[in-house]
Amino acid sequence: MKNNNININVLRHSAAHIMAYAIKYLFPNSKLAIGPSIENGFYYDFEITRALTNHDLIQIESKMKEIIEKNYAFIHLSLPRKIVIEKFNNNNEKYKLEIISQIPGNDNLSIYQCGNFIDLCKGPHITSTGELKYFKLLSVAGAYWRGDEKREQLQRIYGTAFLTQQSLTDYLNNLIEVKKRDHRLLGKNLDLFSIDDSIGGGLILWHPKGTILKKIIENYWEKLHTCNSYELISTPHITSDKLFSISGHLQTYSEYMFAPMQIEGNPYRIKPMNCPMHLAIYKTRLHSYRDLPVRYAELGTVYRFEKSGVLYGLLRVRGFTQDDGHVIVSPHELENEILKTFKMAIDCLTTFGFKEYKIYLATKPEKNYVGKLQDWDIAQASIERVLHKIMCKYEIDQGGGAFYGPKIDIKIKDAIGRLWQCSTIQVDFNLPERFDIYYIDKHGNKQRPYMIHRALMGSIERFIGILLEHYEGKLPLWLSPIQVAILTINQEQKDYCETILKILKNNNIRVMFNDNNFTIGHKIRDSIHQKIPYVIVIGKNEQNLSLISVRRTKDNTNLGTMTINNFIDMLKTEIYNKV
């Protein structure tokens, strides 16, 4: 078999087995858990008596190369359950035995053997170990068995494998770029946010500069929504369990909800989403068909229980501000409202600098969906007409819709080609039914509306994380918490600098004044490190001529001297154009 004909996922899963073979050779008392292929690579979880280091990865990789050189065949065996259990009992492989205990029936079990290594596996695998040529072990991380923090703590080794050396090289180079852009490091270095274990994982502390950034985005969001005829609302952080019983979340979503608290003998929950409360507002008065569409929007902070093992900076948190909007619409207005919402989403994403994206139409799940087929057909046809009307290329996500309706997902492409799920537009037949909402048509009859859930950014926290990685922390001027740094060459220019500082502040420019005793070179480097877009350097000549010397930090370009008014005009143009 030629290497370029091998399925990449089969290759990576086989690489996980070869890595496990090497681990068992180097650490005979280790215990095997699971080792799947994943996007861009593979991993295997092990129980090992000591913490692995990067030096260990080098040794494991070297042993893998020996196994590859010997070109052991991957041999598939179907053996009676009793024999397989005996084999894993002899090696004290307790995790494999637990997996076997959960496989129903008494049929033979599938195992794979290469050399003297065996593993419980359905396969398939490459023909022999020699077909794995281009691979790299990447890192070690902690992982709970079964993803349950109450179970054993294991060590997870991540690796990757490709069909060609060039593909592997490109991927490893991209990893270097990804590491440079890690929003967690940028957030720390730029003093934007932090997470404190004494407060709890997944709960973000926004520092002063991070709060400015968050507020800039929220102000833009509010203006965008009021310009698009949304009404801004605000709802409580907690609510009675009754609300989520009506919405069905207690029955279908409780594993992601925090436990109830007792208030005067009644259970209350911290809210995981805003939509039930928005419907409660809708129900407070009678609505005519002339009132529709009713558009509600809220930057509502919600809380969801995520296991500690999946928490990740701003991208996976337990408390976040949801960019939330709900539209109550009559069936005949659905298509036009989806079109407006889609254009609004693209306008938002483009404003923040995302010019490339992929569109997905997620259709009805095969089972466990709610609503009439007629409603599904109307909603899906409306979405398709919208996408055709704007001549938008899209892919079908077959069966990927929510249980309550079809949806549009928009995935943005960042500066290094990664796709991020942000905007979503979802049609809902479920909640209008559960909350018994209606409008009065022109004949005076009650009619059931549709509901559109939509988010443009997803959540503010996650969107900021994406922005930081997209721009490598070098945010556009309009988003930068500090837009200008004023630097003195010596203390003699301090009064002139303070005059410049006051003028900039009066023109709504976010500015800082660095008059410490470091050299001007050190101050400039610090401003570049802090990714402040513009630096003003003030020395004796600038003071005597009533000018400023300006440097743009993103490309380290000296723009020369200019008047403060010309500089302000330049900044305001850049801010207005959001470039």
Side-chain angles (χ1 to χ4, degrees), residues 263-281:
I263 299 178
E264 297 178 337
N266 297 311
Y268 279 68
R269 298 261 182 173
I270 193 163
K271 66 177 177 180
M273 64 272 300
N274 305 298
C275 42
M277 294 187 181
H278 290 196
L279 288 177
I281 292 175

Side-chain angles (χ1 to χ4, degrees), residues 137-189:
L137 300 188
L138 301 172
S139 62
V140 182
Y144 291 109
W145 173 233
R146 300 291 196 187
D148 184 349
E149 61 263 33
K150 296 178 182 178
R151 297 295 305 272
E152 296 89 337
Q153 174 82 56
L154 306 176
Q155 296 188 68
R156 175 172 295 177
I157 301 179
Y158 286 99
T160 192
F162 286 88
L163 299 173
T164 68
Q165 180 61 54
Q166 187 60 53
S167 296
L168 176 61
T169 300
D170 291 345
Y171 179 74
L172 294 177
N173 288 338
N174 188 65
L175 284 183
I176 295 171
E177 190 65 32
V178 168
K179 189 173 182 180
K180 278 170 40 183
R181 294 169 181 268
D182 189 327
H183 76 278
R184 296 169 300 173
L185 295 176
L186 290 168
K188 180 179 180 180
N189 293 339

Side-chain angles (χ1 to χ4, degrees), residues 31-242:
K31 296 177 178 58
L32 305 173
I34 56 171
S37 65
I38 55 175
E39 185 180 6
N40 296 322
F42 60 90
Y43 70 79
Y44 212 116
D45 291 344
F46 306 91
E47 181 183 294
I48 302 178
T49 53
R50 67 169 177 82
L52 295 175
T53 65
N54 287 333
H55 179 70
D56 291 317
L57 293 189
I58 295 171
Q59 283 190 307
I60 297 165
E61 209 171 82
S62 178
K63 177 53 65 175
M64 287 175 69
K65 289 175 181 176
E66 290 181 23
I67 295 167
I68 291 165
E69 183 68 26
K70 292 179 179 178
N71 199 26
Y72 294 116
F74 272 96
I75 301 169
H76 180 227
L77 301 171
S78 178
L79 299 178
R81 178 183 294 251
K82 182 178 179 181
I83 292 176
V84 176
I85 290 174
E86 184 179 341
K87 285 179 178 291
F88 286 119
N89 253 327
N90 290 339
N91 293 327
N92 196 24
E93 294 287 3
K94 65 178 183 178
Y95 302 107
K96 297 297 180 184
L97 292 169
E98 182 176 327
I99 293 170
I100 291 170
S101 71
Q102 295 171 351
I103 299 174
N106 292 304
D107 295 339
N108 284 4
L109 297 175
S110 174
I111 68 172
Y112 272 81
Q113 178 176 342
C114 65
N116 59 9
F117 174 77
I118 63 166
D119 204 349
L120 183 71
C121 185
K122 291 181 179 179
H125 287 282
I126 54 180
T127 304
S128 64
T129 60
E131 290 180 342
L132 176 63
K133 300 182 184 300
Y134 312 108
F135 73 98
K136 181 70 179 173
L137 300 188
L138 301 172
S139 62
V140 182
Y144 291 109
W145 173 233
R146 300 291 196 187
D148 184 349
E149 61 263 33
K150 296 178 182 178
R151 297 295 305 272
E152 296 89 337
Q153 174 82 56
L154 306 176
Q155 296 188 68
R156 175 172 295 177
I157 301 179
Y158 286 99
T160 192
F162 286 88
L163 299 173
T164 68
Q165 180 61 54
Q166 187 60 53
S167 296
L168 176 61
T169 300
D170 291 345
Y171 179 74
L172 294 177
N173 288 338
N174 188 65
L175 284 183
I176 295 171
E177 190 65 32
V178 168
K179 189 173 182 180
K180 278 170 40 183
R181 294 169 181 268
D182 189 327
H183 76 278
R184 296 169 300 173
L185 295 176
L186 290 168
K188 180 179 180 180
N189 293 339
L190 301 180
D191 195 22
L192 299 175
F193 67 89
S194 61
I195 299 169
D196 190 324
D197 287 341
S198 65
I199 292 171
L203 302 172
I204 307 302
L205 295 171
W206 289 103
H207 297 198
K209 289 197 291 183
T211 301
I212 292 171
L213 173 58
K214 189 168 180 276
K215 189 63 179 173
I216 293 165
I217 294 171
E218 290 173 350
N219 288 343
Y220 164 81
W221 182 92
E222 289 184 5
K223 185 176 180 181
L224 178 67
H225 282 73
T226 54
C227 288
N228 281 273
S229 302
Y230 277 78
E231 298 176 287
L232 301 184
I233 59 177
S234 182
T235 58
H237 286 241
I238 64 170
T239 182
S240 167
D241 255 10
K242 293 177 184 177

